[in-house]
Amino acid sequence: MNAARSTYLDHAASTPMKPAARDAMLAGLERTGNPGSLHTSGRRARRAVEEARETVAAALGARPAEVVLTAGGTESDNLAVKGLWWGRQSAGRPRRRVLVSAVEHHAVLDPADWLARDQGAEVVRLPVLTDGRLDVAALEEAIAADPGSVALVSVMWANNEVGAVQPLDAVVAAASAHGIPVHADAAQAVGALPVDLAASGLAALTVSGHKLGGPVGSGALLLARGAGAPTVVPVLHGGGQEGGVRSGTVDAAAAASLAVAVDLAVAGREAHAEHLTALRGRLAAAITSAVPDAVITGPRDPALRLPGLLHVVVPGCEGDSLLFLLDAEGVECSTGSACTAGVSRPSHVLSAMGVPDPLARGALRFSLGHTSTAQDVDAAAAALPLVVARARAAAGTLVSA
């Protein structure tokens, strides 16, 4: 076992906090005061929250009033999907259909399924092409069937497993022609791709702090305001914080840390993306050389994929075996979304892309981040051939048994 140095290649699950974001968090934890209190300490906490809101807004093409601070990406997705759906219901013409891509994170799919199960919604899972990108024609057909019945569309900015960047311009164009609001989970996109709420035409956009160097348990939902903006019904009720959309005492320390992380990620995006693209190319070349029958999934066009994510499927292997054998060699990666880790079934993303189940079971996701180096890439590439041989031997033993 390589105990000298852990090679961390699971940044899409959670990336280390950036030092400046950590410092902001620690400084905030030293301060006392509820942002809702009127005394000096409360006003100081409120100022920290509002300054954080302004920073996030400026970095992501929004106005401060459009930034709703949350406890992370899952809460933001739930608030967007449920809140938009409830806000679009009316006695005269209830809008029951929810259109989501088949490769969404479960933080979108599960709330949508809950609406279908408990609230009478009709969920339409839109197909994707073999590279993981949305089939826009299928979206247009689904809308055209009955535009007035569609409550919302939710399509992620970029997929968290195979890195496919979705055609959001086309999605927004198709939906906005009928006044349908669009939500995008941009948890993997911020800091890797240009993200701008105003320019996108989105009604709602999800941000997650720990995906870009901020703290776990921090996030935001950006909600477009102004004429024609859809109503978002709260999921949480209580003190009426965050403009009445998200009740609960705002975590001032986490907000300050999130703002620093978002600002740094957006400011350094181009150089960061260039660095990750080079590392990803180096890793892809090494893997295909060491394991010639490994299949790299996702779009081939670099402009259509996240710069730091490499997803491969290895024939004749179980992904969990590959994962644990690599971990024993000091290389940490994943088989897909960490939010569904431990579930022994092929990824819903790969199934939607048409990858056969036996092949999909041999999936590995390597995701690079701001601490990644060429040494990390080389360590993973060096460990993989022996790991694959052992995993295939184990799979053969299980089959023969």
Side-chain angles (χ1 to χ4, degrees), residues 1-334:
M1 177 177 176
N2 177 16
R5 182 179 187 271
S6 175
T7 299
Y8 186 75
L9 295 177
D10 200 17
H11 291 264
S14 193
T15 197
M17 285 186 73
K18 293 183 177 178
R22 182 191 61 229
D23 292 346
M25 183 80 175
L26 293 174
L29 292 173
E30 292 292 330
R31 291 191 293 266
T32 300
N34 186 315
S37 298
L38 299 179
H39 48 59
T40 301
S41 293
R43 294 196 305 272
R44 186 182 299 117
R46 167 58 63 184
R47 183 165 59 251
V49 168
E50 295 310 318
E51 288 175 352
R53 194 188 316 278
E54 291 170 4
T55 298
V56 171
L60 299 177
R63 292 175 290 169
E66 296 176 319
V67 178
V68 176
L69 296 167
T70 69
T74 295
E75 184 191 344
S76 294
D77 283 344
N78 273 258
L79 177 55
V81 173
K82 295 174 183 175
L84 284 170
W85 192 83
W86 282 321
R88 293 270 287 166
Q89 305 311 308
S90 66
R93 179 66 192 274
R95 300 175 176 90
R96 297 295 184 185
R97 288 201 296 157
V98 178
L99 310 185
V100 298
S101 85
V103 296
E104 292 301 301
H105 193 283
H106 278 287
V108 166
L109 294 178
D110 288 2
D113 289 344
W114 180 83
L115 287 173
R117 186 173 60 251
D118 288 16
Q119 302 291 305
E122 177 190 344
V123 177
V124 178
R125 293 201 182 190
L126 302 166
V128 297
L129 306 175
T130 56
D131 65 356
R133 301 186 80 231
L134 181 74
D135 184 340
V136 176
L139 167 68
E140 294 171 342
E141 183 178 344
I143 292 174
D146 187 1
S149 69
V150 180
L152 73 140
V153 176
S154 185
V155 176
M156 64 200 332
W157 201 297
N159 183 259
N160 57 298
E161 290 192 31
V162 301
V165 177
Q166 299 298 338
L168 278 182
D169 287 349
V171 172
V172 171
S176 62
H178 301 281
I180 301 169
V182 180
H183 161 252
D185 182 336
Q188 298 292 340
V190 175
L193 303 169
V195 174
D196 186 302
L197 177 69
S200 70
L202 291 167
L205 186 154
T206 290
V207 181
S208 176
H210 74 113
K211 305 296 188 181
L212 45 82
V216 173
S218 68
L221 181 66
L222 275 54
L223 293 175
R225 306 287 191 181
T231 298
V232 176
V233 175
V235 172
L236 300 176
H237 298 85
Q241 291 89 344
E242 295 302 285
V245 179
R246 195 271 187 186
S247 288
T249 301
V250 179
D251 186 339
S257 182
L258 169 70
V260 169
V262 169
D263 192 43
L264 288 174
V266 172
R269 180 189 62 79
E270 292 186 5
H272 181 59
E274 183 178 350
H275 173 64
L276 294 190
T277 298
L279 289 181
R280 182 191 185 279
R282 181 178 181 134
L283 181 58
I287 288 177
T288 53
S289 174
V291 187
D293 58 346
V295 179
I296 296 176
T297 66
R300 294 293 178 262
D301 184 347
L304 301 180
R305 66 181 184 228
L306 289 171
L309 197 151
L310 180 67
H311 187 277
V312 299
V313 288
V314 184
C317 294
E318 289 290 328
D320 288 346
S321 295
L322 292 170
L323 177 69
F324 290 121
L325 288 167
L326 280 169
D327 191 42
E329 295 298 319
V331 178
E332 298 175 334
C333 60
S334 71

Side-chain angles (χ1 to χ4, degrees), residues 341-355:
V343 180
S344 182
R345 62 172 180 262
S347 157
H348 72 283
V349 173
L350 297 183
S351 295
M353 293 166 58
V355 178

